[in-house]
């Protein structure tokens, strides 16, 4: 039984939401951040970047306390208000390419996470988990939901469609031409129907937000140990999630860029590749692979197609079939000497949502020597790897939608 519950979100007022909502802090360049901080006093970036007020970088516990202070100021000034009744929140995004995403913002159970009812497919880094756990404990809120996916469900879809016939509580368009909508589900019958529908699902899958969910689990354990009257119903027993059906999830690949050929000449590198791949020089014509185990490569001003020689490749698990793992086992580790995909500074990842020409430009700039493109993983692969208790290499999937921070906030 999967436990998904409504909660009392802290939200911007309707007239401020378009000014408050922001992308993740890391997704902005420094110039973009400074422009927003200079000219928009309501941006959520003022909360997560409190050192800007003092014209210097502040880190660690001192920064966390300032984040909490800025958040409190936004509440005191009436920019944020908390709903009086627990709700589910329908969040719809129509992006600039007219892709539509519909999901429900809700609170997911840490107990389900511990029991592997909420399943993972990526490894996390312990130090990052601890840092974010300490951050959450100090600031007392989370503004970025974990993205969870579930099998398409007629009951949930019907409630979402019916609610969307009403005027949205929020409707705003960003400078990136994405339009965001939010509806509140307050009706007791609808709340129960959604809760019951999720309770019948044997499992959910984390699509994006493995570190956020892991940090919430650490925080729950710490607060539980500190609370002599722990009941299991406290808000720290849950984490904010955005639940979206599998048919509406969009998965893109992450392409790989490598700074050097590990001491090999171009000719030596190509000869070693020939053992595992059929290689075709495509010259100046960009090549975008369309099938699993087919890769594009850009090297020394030319595109190549690489087709895996399946008779030479040993596949024993669902993970072995994943193209990101194939690339790692056949090229990145044995030929280019990259064994630590998380920490080796010779490798860089770029979202496949940006076309293959972007990969070319990054190699042409001489920042990198070779680039590799692949087809995206499928939702079936992601689920199978999670079901098998395996984990994907880092940056195996770039998943949409990407929600804005500060639209719904979950307080512990």
């Amino acid at each position: 039984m999967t436990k998904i519950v409504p909660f009392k979100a802290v939200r911007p007022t309707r007239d401020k939401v378009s000014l408050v909502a922001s992308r993740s802090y890391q997704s902005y360049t420094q110039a973009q951040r400074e422009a927003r901080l200079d000219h928009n006093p309501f941006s959520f970036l003022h909360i997560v970047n409190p050192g800007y007020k003092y014209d210097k970088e502040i880190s660690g516990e001192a920064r966390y306390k300032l984040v909490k202070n800025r958040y409190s100021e936004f509440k005191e000034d009436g920019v944020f208000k908390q709903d009086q009744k627990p709700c589910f929140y329908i969040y719809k995004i129509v992006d600039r390419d007219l892709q539509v995403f519909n999901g429900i913002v809700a609170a997911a159970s840490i107990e389900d996470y511990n029991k592997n009812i909420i399943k993972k497919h990526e490894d996390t880094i312990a130090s990052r988990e601890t840092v974010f756990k300490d951050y959450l404990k100090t600031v007392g809120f989370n503004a970025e939901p974990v993205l969870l996916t579930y099998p398409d469900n007629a009951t949930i879809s019907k409630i979402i469609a019916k609610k969307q016939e009403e005027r949205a509580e929020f409707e705003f368009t960003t400078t990136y031409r994405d339009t965001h909508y939010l509806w509140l589900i307050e009706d007791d019958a609808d709340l129960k129907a959604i809760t019951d529908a999720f309770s019948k699902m044997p499992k959910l899958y984390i699509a994006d937000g493995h570190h956020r969910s892991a940090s919430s689990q650490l925080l729950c354990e710490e607060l539980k140990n500190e609370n002599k009257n722990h009941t299991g119903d406290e808000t720290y027993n849950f984490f904010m999630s955005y639940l979206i059906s599998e048919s509406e999830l969009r998965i893109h690949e992450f392409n790989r860029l490598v700074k050097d050929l590990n001491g090999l000449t171009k000719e030596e590198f190509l000869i070693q590749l020939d053992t595992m791949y059929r290689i075709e020089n495509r010259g100046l014509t960009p090549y975008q692979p369309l099938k699993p185990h087919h890769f594009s490569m850009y090297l020394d001003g030319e595109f190549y197609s690489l087709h895996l020689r399946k008779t030479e490749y040993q596949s024993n698990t669902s993970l072995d079939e994943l193209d990101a793992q194939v690339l790692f086992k056949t090229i990145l580790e044995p030929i280019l000497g990259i064994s630590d995909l998380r920490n080796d500074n010779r490798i860089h990842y770029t979202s496949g949502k940006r076309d293959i020409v972007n990969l070319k430009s990054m190699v042409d700039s001489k920042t990198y020597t070779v680039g590799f493109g692949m087809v995206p993983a499928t939702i079936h692969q992601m689920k199978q790897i999670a079901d098998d208790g395996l984990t994907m290499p880092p940056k195996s999937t770039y998943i949409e939608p990407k929600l804005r921070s500060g639209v719904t906030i979950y307080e512990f």
Side-chain angles (χ1 to χ4, degrees):
M1 177 182 287
T2 303
K3 188 174 184 179
I4 298 297
V5 301
F7 70 101
K8 299 177 183 178
V10 175
R11 301 183 289 112
T13 56
R14 181 181 285 177
D15 63 317
K16 299 288 195 309
V17 63
S18 62
L19 298 170
V20 172
S22 73
R23 292 186 289 124
S24 65
Y25 179 83
Q26 295 83 1
S27 67
Y28 294 100
T29 65
Q30 183 175 345
Q32 289 172 332
R33 281 197 298 269
E34 290 180 355
R36 282 159 175 77
L37 290 164
D38 280 339
H39 301 294
N40 179 5
F42 301 109
S43 173
F44 195 74
L45 292 175
H46 282 286
I47 293 175
V48 296
N49 187 35
Y52 188 80
K53 187 173 183 178
Y54 301 98
D55 198 28
K56 67 176 182 178
E57 289 292 328
I58 300 173
S59 60
E61 185 67 20
R63 174 177 170 264
Y64 307 161
K65 290 179 179 178
L66 288 177
V67 169
K68 183 178 181 179
N69 293 344
R70 295 292 86 72
Y71 175 64
S72 296
E73 289 171 5
F74 270 51
K75 292 179 71 176
E76 290 165 3
D77 292 342
V79 178
F80 286 136
K81 292 187 177 180
Q82 186 168 30
D83 290 321
Q84 297 302 304
K85 177 182 177 179
C87 301
F88 288 128
Y89 303 86
I90 298 173
Y91 197 145
K92 175 181 176 180
I93 302 172
V94 181
D95 73 12
R96 62 187 301 170
D97 299 319
L98 300 183
Q99 291 187 114
V100 180
F101 305 97
N102 291 287
I104 294 177
V105 180
S109 167
I110 297 290
E111 184 179 3
D112 286 350
Y113 180 88
N114 290 335
K115 291 180 176 179
N116 207 31
I117 292 172
I118 295 176
K119 303 183 81 70
K120 314 93 177 165
H121 67 264
E122 280 188 8
D123 275 332
T124 53
I125 301 171
S127 59
R128 284 184 61 190
E129 292 177 19
T130 302
V131 166
F132 194 54
K133 180 266 294 180
D134 292 341
Y135 169 85
L136 292 175
K137 186 176 183 181
T138 300
V139 303
F141 69 87
N142 192 357
E144 294 187 17
V146 173
L147 187 62
L148 300 179
T149 189
Y150 61 91
D152 288 31
N153 182 278
T155 298
I156 296 173
S157 296
K158 184 177 179 180
I159 292 172
I160 289 175
K162 182 173 176 55
K163 192 66 181 179
Q164 288 180 344
E165 294 174 0
E166 303 174 11
R167 180 193 178 190
E169 174 70 12
F170 292 158
E171 178 181 351
F172 63 95
T173 300
T174 72
T175 54
Y176 290 82
R177 300 181 183 178
D178 299 335
T179 303
H180 298 245
Y181 306 83
L182 190 83
W183 291 264
L184 278 62
I185 300 179
E186 302 174 276
D187 180 76
D188 289 338
D190 287 341
L191 292 173
K192 184 178 185 305
I194 292 172
T195 302
D196 290 347
F198 279 115
S199 73
K200 295 173 184 176
M201 298 178 189
K203 50 196 170 185
L204 302 173
Y205 294 84
I206 298 175
D208 191 24
H210 285 79
H211 280 93
R212 275 168 276 154
S213 51
S215 301
S216 295
Q217 189 272 340
L218 286 179
L219 177 64
C220 175
E221 291 301 312
E222 188 167 312
L223 294 179
K224 181 170 67 173
N225 291 332
E226 294 175 1
N227 183 4
K228 295 179 181 179
N229 299 312
H230 173 81
T231 65
D233 294 325
E234 297 87 354
T235 52
Y236 60 71
N237 292 284
F238 301 87
F239 58 93
M240 184 168 65
S241 303
Y242 181 64
L243 296 113
I244 186 170
S245 64
E246 293 174 4
S247 64
E248 295 204 33
L249 198 68
R250 298 290 180 269
I251 303 178
H252 302 276
E253 72 279 15
F254 265 106
N255 296 324
R256 273 72 170 137
L257 292 144
V258 181
K259 289 187 177 180
D260 58 67
L261 297 182
N262 197 28
L264 301 173
T265 65
K266 173 184 173 181
E267 290 72 23
E268 290 169 339
F269 175 61
L270 291 172
I271 289 170
Q272 290 203 32
L273 278 184
D274 195 75
T275 301
M276 297 297 295
Y277 291 91
R278 294 178 57 185
I279 306 171
E280 182 178 345
N281 188 323
R282 303 284 182 130
L284 298 178
T285 305
Y287 171 68
Q288 181 69 54
L290 299 176
K291 296 181 180 179
H293 304 344
H294 289 194
F295 300 89
S296 64
M297 181 175 74
Y298 185 69
L299 172 67
D300 195 26
E302 296 178 309
F303 286 95
Y304 295 81
S305 61
L306 307 179
H307 295 179
L308 182 69
R309 299 183 190 273
K310 296 183 180 179
T311 56
E312 299 294 325
Y313 181 74
Q314 187 70 35
S315 178
N316 299 311
T317 69
S318 56
L319 178 61
D320 292 333
E321 288 296 309
L322 186 72
D323 277 355
Q325 181 73 355
V326 172
L327 192 68
F328 173 66
K329 290 182 66 175
T330 61
I331 300 176
L332 298 179
E333 185 176 43
I335 300 177
L336 295 178
I338 297 173
S339 57
D340 186 349
L341 293 172
R342 292 188 180 278
N343 300 307
D344 195 320
N345 61 14
R346 294 172 55 225
I347 189 168
H348 176 75
Y349 305 92
T350 179
S351 163
K353 191 176 182 185
R354 305 178 70 180
D355 61 34
I356 203 72
V357 176
N358 177 63
L359 183 142
K360 174 184 182 299
S361 66
M362 296 181 79
V363 174
D364 287 344
S365 71
K366 306 301 181 184
T367 305
Y368 302 96
T369 299
V370 61
F372 300 95
M374 66 188 86
V375 298
T378 65
I379 184 68
H380 172 75
Q381 285 181 305
M382 187 183 80
K383 290 172 63 177
Q384 188 62 58
I385 288 169
D387 287 343
D388 292 343
L390 302 170
T391 53
M392 294 181 176
K395 301 294 185 183
S396 291
T397 56
Y398 178 87
I399 294 180
E400 292 183 306
K402 302 292 185 187
L403 275 64
R404 293 274 162 153
S405 297
V407 178
T408 58
I409 297 172
Y410 183 77
E411 290 190 343
F412 304 110

